[in-house]
Amino acid sequence: MIEGHEVLDFLNFRNNRHWTGLHRMARIVDDIEMFRSALERLLNEDTPVAERIDDPKVQRINGLGKAILTAMLHVAYPEQYGVWNRTSEDGLVRLGLFPNFPRGTSMGEKYAEINEVLLRLSRDVGADLWSLDALFWGVQDMTENDLGDSEDAVRDSGPGVSGQAGHRFGLEKHLQNFMADNWESLEFGPDWFLYEEDKEIVGVEFDTREIGRIDLLARHRTEDRWLVIELKRAQSSDQTVGQVLRYMGWVKGNLAAKNAQVEGLIVARDHDSAIAYALKYTTDVGLRRYRVNFELVEE
C-alpha cells in the first residue's frame, strides 16, 4: 500500500532525477486515503485514459494537475504514456505539433490526443518517451528569443565569461528556486500564491512564449492583483527595469482581467542606485535586496 512519504519522495527531483518543481504540490497527499483511491482509478488500464483523468475522484485531489498525473502514468506505463507538463507543451507548440482543442474539451480528452502526438514523435525521432521528455528542454533552448536575459546566455558564452559572473548567475538561479520552494515563509506568502494553471504551479519561469520567461509570477489571494518578480542578473539596470515593465504589460494584456492591478518587484543582490532612481517614477514596481550569509562553523 502506497504511503504519503513514498509519494513525496517521488515528487522530489533528487529521487525522480527528472522533474523539478513537482514537490511544490505536496498537498496532494493531505488526505492519503483519498489519494490512494484516485491513484487506483488513474492506473486502471481497463478504462480509457481520458475517462480516468476526468474521473471526479482524480480531479478532486487538490494539486493533482496534469504534470503529476501524467508523470505517474509514465512511470507506471513508460511505453504507453508521455508526460504533459508546461515544458512538453511549450516544446510541442514551438514545433507546431500542439493540437487545437475546441472550447469545452476536458483535461482527459486533451491528454489522450496529446499523448498520441507524443507517441508519434517518439517513434519519429527514435527516442523513448522518457528521453523525449528531456529533449523538450533542448527545444526550449534552441528557440528561446531572450537568450541575452537567460541563464543559458552565460552558460553558453564560453571562456569569456568571468568566474564571478558565472557564480552570480548560479547563485541567482538558486535564489529563484529557494524563493519558489519557500514561498509560504517569505513576506509574500500570506498574501500571494504562485500562479497555477490546471492545478499545476506554472509561476516559476513562466514562459510567455512571446517575450521571454518571467522569473516568478504570483496572484493575490483575496484581491484581483498580479505580481511579476524579476531577479536582476547580469543585465544592466535599464534592461532589468525595462524587462519587468515589459512582463507586466504582457500579463496585463494576456492574463489579467480588465480592471486587475499588475505590480512588479525587482530583487537584486546589491544596492543599485540606477534602478532606485528609475523606480521613483514607476509606482507599481518595488525593489528588494537579498543577502546571502555563508559561514563555516567548527564542530
Side-chain angles (χ1 to χ4, degrees):
M1 180 178 294
I2 191 168
E3 299 294 340
H5 68 86
E6 295 174 306
V7 180
L8 297 180
D9 285 345
F10 166 76
L11 297 179
N12 200 304
F13 172 75
R14 69 171 177 265
N15 295 316
N16 69 59
R17 306 302 299 171
H18 199 70
W19 300 291
T20 60
L22 297 187
H23 62 282
R24 297 182 187 122
M25 288 300 186
R27 64 177 184 266
I28 64 174
V29 293
D30 284 349
D31 187 328
I32 188 61
E33 292 300 329
M34 185 183 297
F35 177 80
R36 288 193 190 108
S37 177
L39 188 62
E40 182 179 359
R41 287 177 178 260
L42 178 67
L43 301 182
N44 183 3
E45 284 288 276
D46 293 334
T47 306
V49 67
E51 294 181 22
R52 285 181 266 156
I53 290 178
D54 290 335
D55 188 297
K57 285 196 173 183
V58 174
Q59 286 296 315
R60 73 182 182 185
I61 301 297
N62 188 24
L64 190 59
K66 62 181 183 289
I68 298 178
L69 280 172
T70 59
M72 290 178 169
L73 280 170
H74 175 69
V75 169
Y77 306 104
E79 296 181 358
Q80 295 174 237
Y81 301 112
V83 176
W84 176 25
N85 52 29
R86 188 162 185 87
T87 300
S88 61
E89 180 174 326
D90 288 346
L92 291 175
V93 168
R94 293 171 193 272
L95 293 172
L97 298 175
F98 193 75
N100 292 317
F101 298 109
R103 185 183 299 274
T105 306
S106 70
M107 180 189 294
E109 292 168 335
K110 288 179 180 179
Y111 175 68
E113 191 169 343
I114 291 168
N115 192 52
E116 290 300 318
V117 176
L118 294 173
L119 289 168
R120 289 197 302 271
L121 186 58
S122 173
R123 291 192 294 268
D124 289 345
V125 302
D128 57 49
L129 291 167
W130 176 271
S131 300
L132 182 65
D133 186 61
L135 288 174
F136 281 122
W137 289 97
V139 173
Q140 287 184 329
D141 290 342
M142 289 186 293
T143 58
E144 189 64 67
N145 293 321
D146 65 337
L147 284 177
D149 297 331
S150 71
E151 182 177 4
D152 295 329
V154 171
R155 185 192 65 204
D156 296 337
S157 298
V161 177
S162 71
Q164 182 180 6
H167 170 71
R168 289 287 297 275
F169 244 92
L171 183 61
E172 278 145 2
K173 177 62 177 178
H174 286 300
L175 173 64
Q176 181 186 41
N177 289 331
F178 175 84
M179 291 178 66
D181 293 342
N182 297 275
W183 184 265
E184 299 296 329
S185 62
L186 299 178
E187 64 174 278
F188 321 104
D191 297 322
W192 302 84
F193 65 91
L194 289 170
Y195 178 49
E196 296 183 11
E197 291 179 353
D198 298 326
K199 302 182 183 179
E200 176 187 358
I201 292 178
V202 296
V204 182
E205 287 200 16
F206 180 84
D207 191 354
T208 66
R209 299 177 182 167
E210 290 185 80
I211 58 171
R213 296 172 184 277
I214 300 173
D215 286 333
L216 296 166
L217 178 61
R219 295 193 67 177
H220 200 275
R221 295 185 186 275
T222 59
E223 302 172 15
D224 197 4
R225 296 163 60 192
W226 295 74
L227 179 63
V228 173
I229 300 178
E230 181 67 17
L231 308 183
K232 185 181 184 300
R233 294 185 168 89
Q235 73 266 38
S236 70
S237 300
D238 289 344
Q239 287 176 317
T240 303
V241 174
Q243 185 160 298
V244 73
L245 291 174
R246 187 165 64 247
Y247 289 150
M248 289 168 63
W250 186 92
V251 170
K252 183 66 175 177
N254 292 273
L255 293 178
K258 182 178 180 180
N259 296 320
Q261 183 177 352
V262 179
E263 303 164 39
L265 179 68
I266 295 172
V267 179
R269 181 178 183 183
D270 304 312
H271 175 73
D272 193 313
S273 57
I275 289 180
Y277 279 123
L279 297 186
K280 283 182 179 292
Y281 290 94
T282 309
T283 57
D284 291 333
V285 182
L287 176 63
R288 296 286 191 280
R289 279 199 304 136
Y290 71 89
R291 181 171 56 202
V292 176
N293 181 30
F294 176 80
E295 59 179 330
L296 296 176
V297 179
E298 184 176 356
E299 292 292 337

